[in-house]
Amino acid sequence: TAVGLGTGNLRQGAETKLRAAGVWERFAFGGFACDDDDRATLLGVAAARGAASLSARPSDCRVVVIGDTPRDIAAAQAIGASSVGVATSRYSVAALRACGATHAVADMTSPTFLPALAGPR
């Protein structure tokens, strides 16, 4: 298992923010705004880096995108990834489901959040 990050922030900005929160070290790789402006493309870059870190082909890896906007869900769909919509911004669980989220939860404390990450059994 490899855990990565896809963000519209530049790498340095993401690192600064996530170090301050004490979680930067949890991400083995990422895709950043400095890789591409297009959200789907930078997620694809992150997925390719993750596959490389596992010495695997991207097509052999399961990618799950966690996002709080329809743009995040669309980017996940564009790269063939599963998505977990988290209704912590202005979009509701219903709105995230309506735009095609594989799973949608109110927030990350929802009892269905971690099972959604685990995927099908």
Side-chain angles (χ1 to χ4, degrees), residues 42-70:
L42 72 84
L43 288 176
V45 168
R49 287 178 177 149
S53 76
L54 297 169
S55 299
R57 296 179 310 205
S59 61
D60 293 334
C61 297
R62 180 171 176 270
V63 177
V64 180
V65 174
I66 303 167
D68 62 359
T69 72

Side-chain angles (χ1 to χ4, degrees), residues 33-104:
C34 46
D35 294 313
D36 203 282
D37 290 336
D38 178 70
R39 193 173 306 223
T41 302
L42 72 84
L43 288 176
V45 168
R49 287 178 177 149
S53 76
L54 297 169
S55 299
R57 296 179 310 205
S59 61
D60 293 334
C61 297
R62 180 171 176 270
V63 177
V64 180
V65 174
I66 303 167
D68 62 359
T69 72
R71 287 179 46 194
D72 298 325
I73 305 309
Q77 291 169 334
I79 67 163
S82 298
S83 59
V84 180
V86 182
T88 53
S89 68
R90 65 178 183 240
Y91 300 98
S92 67
V93 168
L96 294 168
R97 281 192 185 122
C99 69
T102 311
H103 304 279

